[in-house]
Amino acid sequence: KFCGGPAGGRLDEAAALAAWETMRAAVASREVEEGMEESDSVLSRVQRDAGFVDACPVHRIDVATSGCLAVALDGAAAADLSAQWRDRDVCKTYEAVVAGVVASDAGDVDLPLRRVGASIRRQGRPSRVVVAEADEPLARASRSSYAVSTRGADRTVLALTPHTGRLHQLRAHCAALGHPILGDWLYGDGASADRLCLHASALAFRDPALGCRVEVASRSAWRLVDGASPALVGELTWSL
């Protein structure tokens, strides 16, 4: 984001780092003013417990989503990783358990999404997205791919790949297919599982320091038991 911009308006590395620090300071100040300081989070643990005080996030996953999350340890790494996310050089894979039996073994969902409810977010209620026509104001192109991993009696495990990075994209696209993610209180039935059954299973990107491709994977598996909430079992691995 800080190395991007329209043609002729790109920032060099020094200006990008300065913009990043300015934004971080402004956000921190705003959070203090509004009483929004995080008492516990992935970022606070990396900064406080691991000692990387300049660490900053380069992407986000929903609070109810488990799995892989990238955190840059300094401003230079943040600028590099942010550029990779902007240029869509990062590969992301998710695993989800959805309601019903998905008939097709694989497919694409190419449905624009429009954000609604942004004005009520600060009232404690979450914003969400809806499927929109491509020519609607504020509609944004959104594309996801899915492949069936396992079929149960009344649910399906899907491997999901988002090709764009919209708010709640995978959740909204699964719901649009007629197969909402189990436990999804915004786009499906929150009582259908003990948690949102969405897991960020893998991330692949170029390491800013080493210059080589890195894959971080949570080798997880959703265990399906009839009449019970799905359970996630697995371990975290990484490779160069």
Side-chain angles (χ1 to χ4, degrees):
K1 291 180 180 178
F2 300 99
C3 294
R10 296 182 181 275
L11 302 177
D12 59 27
E13 183 175 346
L17 291 176
W20 178 262
E21 294 300 330
T22 298
M23 190 205 72
R24 288 184 62 204
V27 170
S29 176
R30 181 68 175 269
E31 289 178 345
V32 170
E33 291 175 2
E34 299 185 358
M36 295 171 59
E37 303 99 320
E38 292 181 350
S39 58
D40 187 27
S41 67
V42 171
L43 182 59
S44 67
R45 292 189 184 196
V46 173
Q47 292 174 332
R48 181 187 62 236
D49 300 338
F52 294 99
V53 296
D54 295 326
C56 45
V58 293
H59 75 122
R60 297 178 183 273
I61 56 177
D62 293 342
V63 66
T65 303
S66 56
C68 302
L69 178 69
V71 178
L73 300 184
D74 56 39
D80 188 303
L81 288 169
S82 293
Q84 293 184 55
W85 250 269
R86 179 202 68 210
D87 296 337
R88 299 179 184 173
D89 291 333
V90 177
C91 294
K92 298 172 285 185
T93 305
Y94 292 75
E95 292 180 350
V97 185
V98 301
V101 179
V102 178
S104 300
D105 290 337
D108 288 330
V109 183
D110 194 350
L111 294 172
L113 297 174
R114 176 172 56 83
R115 188 167 181 167
V116 296
S119 61
I120 64 173
R121 185 178 179 186
R122 293 192 180 278
Q123 300 175 20
R125 289 178 289 168
S127 56
R128 62 194 305 271
V129 295
V130 295
V131 173
E133 297 296 331
D135 58 354
E136 280 188 43
L138 304 181
R140 305 186 71 184
S142 307
R143 186 169 71 90
S144 308
S145 299
Y146 68 89
V148 171
S149 299
T150 307
R151 290 185 177 94
D154 60 353
R155 57 194 66 179
T156 305
V157 180
L158 296 179
L160 300 168
T161 301
H163 301 288
T164 50
R166 312 305 181 204
L167 174 73
H168 299 167
Q169 176 177 316
L170 296 176
R171 298 166 66 179
H173 277 173
C174 285
L177 283 175
H179 299 283
I181 297 174
L182 296 187
D184 193 338
W185 60 95
L186 271 180
Y187 302 94
D189 179 6
S192 58
D194 294 339
R195 55 157 290 183
L196 176 68
C197 294
L198 180 62
H199 183 73
S201 56
L203 273 177
F205 54 90
R206 178 176 47 78
D207 186 287
L210 300 177
C212 59
R213 192 77 171 170
V214 174
E215 180 179 357
V216 180
S218 172
R219 302 300 184 190
S220 59
W222 287 102
R223 180 180 296 162
L224 303 183
V225 179
D226 290 343
S229 181
L232 185 68
V233 295
E235 60 183 9
L236 182 68
T237 63
W238 66 278
S239 62
L240 299 178

